Amino acid sequence: MSPAAIPPEEPAYEFYLYVTGATPNSTRALRNIKEICELYLPGQYILKIIDIYREPQMAQQEQIVASPTLIRHRPLPQRRLVGDLSNRATVLAVLGIDHQLPPTSIS
């Protein structure tokens, strides 16, 4: 099988962040989860941002009652967090992410 025929491996983590436009809490939540993902899960995640003003059907389908809300769809079980995700220790614990930073290479 040629390398082009091998399907790409799906990232281990899949997150959906439901926000309400560019409100301060939504902006903070987005910045915080991006920073967490880049520090602890580089190359291992998909982050989808859903604005509930633009896609209310998605929020209804997921039964979102507060914003911002982060849902970890993968790996199972699904986990949810509400708020600006500023308490990093809590976010890491609830999402089941190892809080140890990977070793950095020194060049």
Side-chain angles (χ1 to χ4, degrees):
M1 185 181 276
S2 71
I6 299 172
E9 188 175 312
E10 297 232 358
Y13 290 85
E14 182 175 17
F15 301 104
Y16 285 55
L17 180 63
Y18 288 85
V19 296
T20 49
T23 63
N25 276 347
S26 293
T27 303
R28 256 190 313 277
L30 179 57
R31 182 180 64 241
N32 289 332
I33 193 60
K34 280 185 174 180
E35 186 175 296
I36 287 169
C37 287
E38 285 302 312
L39 281 173
Y40 296 92
L41 306 170
Q44 302 175 52
Y45 72 95
I46 294 172
L47 175 62
K48 297 180 182 178
I49 312 304
I50 296 99
D51 185 338
I52 62 176
Y53 291 144
R54 294 179 184 213
E55 299 184 64
Q57 71 284 359
M58 293 273 301
Q60 184 178 15
Q61 179 181 341
E62 288 285 355
Q63 300 177 349
I64 302 298
V65 295
S67 173
T69 295
L70 179 71
I71 301 176
R72 182 188 76 186
H73 280 275
R74 198 174 49 228
L76 293 174
Q78 192 178 90
R79 300 284 173 96
R80 291 175 180 243
L81 279 167
V82 176
D84 68 5
L85 310 174
S86 59
N87 185 330
R88 183 169 291 177
T90 299
V91 172
L92 293 172
V94 170
L95 296 178
I97 298 172
D98 183 4
H99 67 281
Q100 300 297 318
L101 284 172
T104 58
S105 60
I106 300 174
S107 34

